[in-house]
Every structure is written in structure tokens, then in C-alpha cells.
Amino acid sequence: MSIHVALNHVTRYRYGRSVVLSPQLVRLRPAPHCRTRVLSYSMRVTPEEHFVNWQQDPQSNYVARVFVPERVREFRVEVDLVAEMAVYNPFDFFLEPDAEHVPFAYASWQRRELLPFLEPEAMTPGLARYVDTLGRPRGRTTDFLVELNRRLSADIGYLIRMEPGVQTPDETLTRGSGSCRDTSWLLVQILRHMGFAARFVSGYLIQLKADVPAREGPSGVAADFTDLHAWCEVYLPGAGWIGFDPTSGLLAGEGHLPLACTPDASSAAPVTGGVEPCEVEFEHAMQVTRVHESPRVTLPYSEAQWEALLRAGDAVDARLVAADVRLTMGGEPTFVSESGRDADEWNTEAIGPSKRQRALDLHRRLRASFGPGGLLHVGQGKWYPGEQLPRWALSCFWRADGVPMWHDDTLMADEQRPAGHSAAEAERFIRTLAAHLGVGDTHVQAGYEDTWYYLWRE
């Protein structure tokens, strides 16, 4: 499901007299690596007598070179685009094994290509003190960067600053406040001094009002909103450029549309160019409008439409009951332990020190609740292609009429308290079972572990 939004952005310069403009460089087109899909884009320039040449700068950002041959009293740029706001997971990336933990080193070929993004400005006293408080980076790379980004959002207060240019890192740290471009440039310098390749990003930020208020924490903006914004991108081997927004403390998401990503903040300005000395009035206006919304459980259905849906559901239920159609729920509950939830056994591993025992405990509790007198069975489950062994499956069977299928729970095996049965007893049991089933000993087959295989694995 996605929402299509139309963004309109007008930038206008009004001059106190007719002036000559040098070629103006306009960086207001989403960059090629923008992860948010841009469905349409247009740019209109006033005055009408002008020439536009599209080019790409050394970082592959789109740049419009606008040349106005005559003297003008006004220069105006209007951008319209339609973007598909489809949610994506900003953590959906992998790192090369050597870069999963910090500190790490870029490969020599990477360092050559990333050199402009690795060169920091001279270390200043204020920046040095702040970097010292961060300590030597240790642990998982992603965790370190996320925490640094979050800390900057807490340490530096956000303010709207209309003055041109970017504060130095020391100014931002001393004041404890800055615009988005100030905090982002500070993050760029911190990362470069720590050995990370980082670049400054200027772009559009689109924030949409949530359908329903959040149960916990902030609910976001009160109305749909867009503005020019700045953030930082870090190059991580295996993942590429990953965006971090130190103003919010979050990773860049579908609402972040990069326009210019550059080694220096000054080369990412939306509009640059020369003009004769004169008085100038500057205007800037932006708006975002929803033009299409996929139906979802929260919007855009009206109360009347919801009532119609509920009535249709009731009618379907009534017909199912009349036809004696019974619906059941899948029998594969998925759960994660409250303690040690970050352990491999609750995320990637099939088994672990506590998973099997927790599953057996839940198995017995479900039997007591749903099927007293039911038969518990521990056996083989699904066997997926590429896996050496089948998954284990815990099953419980009981009769709908309540008649017990199993009477003596003491005869049920407990993996935590082995009874010491040997292979000979297992053979006697299977042969007796085969005789009772009338299939004979010819269908009994002995199983052996491949000792040599496990020795080879060790």
C-alpha cells in the first residue's frame, strides 16, 4: 500500500532593479539514488527567455544550469513532482563481514574513491572535547551509528535559522542548537574524524499525518508537511550510502528525498549563482497534497463504508453457519522468550539452550487448556530444501467429544528427565507396534548415525 503525493516548491527572487544574472545552478531534482519512487517531475523557470542545460556533478547529482540572456527584475523556479510514499525498512541492508563491527578499515580501492568524503576539517577544541566524550567506537557498526545519531538529536536543539551558510561544528556545540544543516554538518565532521566516509545531503522532507494517534510516544506531525531539509549519509561496505538524520535521531526513510549529496555543505545549496549588487526580496513556498491513497484498514474509508463492510461480513458469517462451514486457525504459534530475546535461538537458529524446553512447556500448557486427555506427540516437522535435517514438531491430538485419548500422563516421556531406555527397548517397541498394525517385521528398518560424517565435520 502506498500514498501518492504531489509536492510543489516555489523559489522566487525579486530584484530592486533590472540586473544581469550569471548562470544559475539549480539543485532541485531528486538524486539518482533516491529510494522513494518519483512518478513525475517538472521544473519551470521565469523569465521565459532562458536556456536550461541539465548535467550531473561529480557526485552524479542532477544540476540544472539556467542561463538568462537579458536583464531581469525577477528570477523564479517552480518544481512539481509526484512521489510514491511507500514505507520501506531503512535497516534493510547487509554489511561486509569486516565492517560489521567498529573500528573497521575501508579497502584500499574504497579509500581512493571515498577520499573527498574522508577528509575532515581541522580538529577544533570544542569538537575535540565532544569526540572525546564518545570514546573509542566499539561493538556493532549499526548500533554505534544509531546511538551517535540519537545522541546528537538530544544534545543539539533544533531551530529555524534564516541566515545563509552553515555553522562551524564548534559554533553548533557551543550554542547547543542549530538548523538541520548545522547538525548534519557537525555529524559529517564527527564521522570523518572517526574514520567514516560521510557526505552532506540537501533534500526534501515529506511528513504525512498518521491515520491514527500512536499508542505510545509521539504521533508525528499534526498535518501533512514538506520542507527543504538536510541530513548525512555514511558509506558502509556492503550497504552503500545509508542516511542518518541527526535532527530527528532517525535513519532516513521514504520521506527523505535527496537532491544533492556532496563532500562540502556549500556545494549542496539548492540555488547558486551570481547577481549584480541590488536589493533582493526572497520568497520560498512549499506544499504537499495527497493525490492517491491505497485503501487500508485505517483510511480512506468513511464510517458509512465501514458499516457496509461490517454488514457484508455478518452476511458472509451467516451463510457459512447455515452451510455448516467451520473455520479453523493455523496450528503453528510463534513466540519469543521474554528473557534473552536477542539470543540467536530466538532469531536465526533452529535450536538453542532454552527454546526446546520452552516449547515443551507451552505444548503441555496448551494441552491442559484445549485438549485434556489429549495425546502429545514429539516428532519430525517440515523439511526445507537446503537444510540438513527436518524441523522438529510438537503436536497434540484430542477428541472433540471430550473422551480422553491418553489416560496415564506418567507414561509420557520427558526430555528433561530421560528414563534411560536403550536402543534394544526401542527395537522391541517398534517390532511390537508393527505386529499390532499387521505390517510385519519387513517394514522395520534400523537407523544409524553417520559417525564418519560427524567426525569429518568436527
Side-chain angles (χ1 to χ4, degrees):
M1 294 187 297
S2 64
I3 299 174
H4 294 180
V5 299
L7 182 149
N8 175 262
H9 176 205
V10 177
T11 303
R12 176 182 293 169
Y13 300 88
R14 289 178 175 171
Y15 308 110
R17 61 183 181 85
S18 294
V19 295
V20 174
L21 297 179
S22 73
Q24 303 291 298
L25 301 181
V26 180
R27 304 176 184 88
L28 290 175
R29 180 175 171 180
H33 74 285
C34 177
R35 294 182 65 177
T36 298
R37 185 182 175 201
V38 177
L39 304 178
S40 64
Y41 176 86
S42 68
M43 185 184 75
R44 292 183 295 278
V45 176
T46 302
E48 293 185 0
E49 296 297 325
H50 67 270
F51 300 94
V52 176
N53 294 103
W54 283 101
Q55 54 186 277
Q56 288 182 279
D57 67 11
Q59 283 72 46
S60 295
N61 304 301
Y62 292 117
V63 181
R65 185 180 185 272
V66 181
F67 174 68
V68 181
E70 304 294 336
R71 303 179 74 89
V72 297
R73 295 291 299 267
E74 176 183 281
F75 181 71
R76 182 178 184 273
V77 179
E78 182 173 7
V79 169
D80 282 290
L81 64 83
V82 176
E84 183 181 53
M85 299 291 287
V87 176
Y88 66 81
N89 179 9
F91 290 95
D92 185 16
F93 59 82
F94 292 95
L95 301 181
E96 295 292 351
D98 292 342
E100 289 182 352
H101 294 81
V102 286
F104 67 85
Y106 293 106
S108 57
W109 65 270
Q110 288 176 328
R111 289 194 63 84
R112 287 195 301 272
E113 297 181 0
L114 294 171
L115 191 58
F117 310 103
L118 286 165
E119 293 182 347
E121 294 181 341
M123 180 67 83
T124 54
L127 182 58
R129 286 191 296 271
Y130 191 82
V131 171
D132 287 343
T133 65
L134 302 175
R136 295 181 62 83
R138 289 286 186 271
R140 290 167 53 89
T141 302
T142 305
D143 293 344
F144 169 76
L145 293 173
V146 167
E147 175 57 24
L148 173 58
N149 192 53
R150 184 209 61 78
R151 177 170 171 179
L152 268 187
S153 71
D155 291 347
I156 307 300
Y158 173 71
L159 55 81
I160 298 176
R161 195 170 61 81
M162 301 304 296
E163 298 84 2
V166 179
Q167 293 178 171
T168 67
D170 269 17
E171 287 177 318
T172 302
L173 290 169
T174 301
R175 296 174 181 176
S177 63
S179 66
C180 55
R181 63 186 185 274
D182 300 321
T183 310
S184 298
W185 185 241
L186 171 61
L187 178 57
V188 167
Q189 292 304 311
I190 292 174
L191 290 169
R192 289 181 183 177
H193 279 289
M194 289 187 161
F196 292 92
R199 64 186 185 183
F200 182 87
V201 184
S202 172
Y204 289 129
L205 175 64
I206 301 175
Q207 294 177 288
L208 302 181
K209 179 184 176 181
D211 294 346
V212 294
R215 291 181 178 272
E216 296 181 0
S219 296
V221 294
D224 294 349
F225 168 83
T226 185
D227 203 352
L228 286 169
H229 192 55
W231 60 95
C232 167
E233 287 184 351
V234 186
Y235 188 84
L236 301 177
W241 292 103
I242 303 298
F244 290 85
D245 185 348
T247 302
S248 64
L250 304 174
L251 268 69
E254 66 279 356
H256 293 74
L257 281 65
L259 298 172
C261 307
T262 56
D264 191 86
S266 61
S267 55
V271 181
T272 57
V275 61
E276 288 183 308
C278 65
E279 293 184 354
V280 180
E281 292 182 2
F282 173 73
E283 295 179 10
H284 166 80
M286 297 187 68
Q287 63 178 357
V288 62
T289 307
R290 303 189 190 203
V291 294
H292 170 75
E293 297 191 59
S294 300
R296 50 197 185 275
V297 296
T298 50
L299 282 176
Y301 294 126
S302 65
E303 289 298 327
Q305 290 173 315
W306 267 118
E307 289 297 328
L309 285 172
L310 294 174
R311 286 195 300 271
D314 291 338
V316 171
D317 287 341
R319 294 181 64 179
L320 291 174
V321 171
D324 196 27
V325 177
R326 304 178 186 184
L327 304 179
T328 62
M329 184 181 296
E332 295 184 355
T334 301
F335 62 93
V336 175
S337 173
E338 288 186 350
S339 59
R341 65 181 62 189
D342 293 329
D344 290 341
E345 63 177 329
W346 302 112
N347 293 278
T348 57
E349 299 297 325
I351 199 68
S354 61
K355 178 191 274 189
R356 181 62 174 262
Q357 182 56 41
R358 298 286 172 82
L360 289 168
D361 293 342
L362 178 60
H363 193 204
R364 295 177 183 276
R365 289 164 58 189
L366 291 174
R367 173 180 180 260
S369 297
F370 295 100
L375 171 66
L376 294 179
H377 179 259
V378 178
Q380 176 177 319
K382 299 176 182 178
W383 198 337
Y384 292 96
E387 295 189 357
Q388 294 180 350
L389 296 173
R391 305 290 180 91
W392 42 273
L394 311 180
S395 304
C396 181
F397 306 93
W398 67 88
R399 289 175 50 147
D401 58 9
V403 177
M405 295 179 62
W406 191 270
H407 295 275
D408 190 354
D409 287 354
T410 62
L411 297 178
M412 288 187 181
D414 186 344
E415 293 186 4
Q416 298 302 308
R417 290 182 288 275
H421 298 299
S422 64
E425 291 171 303
E427 181 180 0
R428 187 165 66 253
F429 168 77
I430 197 68
R431 292 188 183 279
T432 303
L433 177 61
H436 277 287
L437 295 176
V439 297
D441 287 354
T442 57
H443 295 279
V444 176
Q445 186 176 4
Y448 300 93
E449 286 189 352
D450 190 344
T451 305
W452 295 110
Y453 169 76
Y454 287 103
L455 286 174
W456 169 77
R457 283 192 64 182
E458 291 182 10

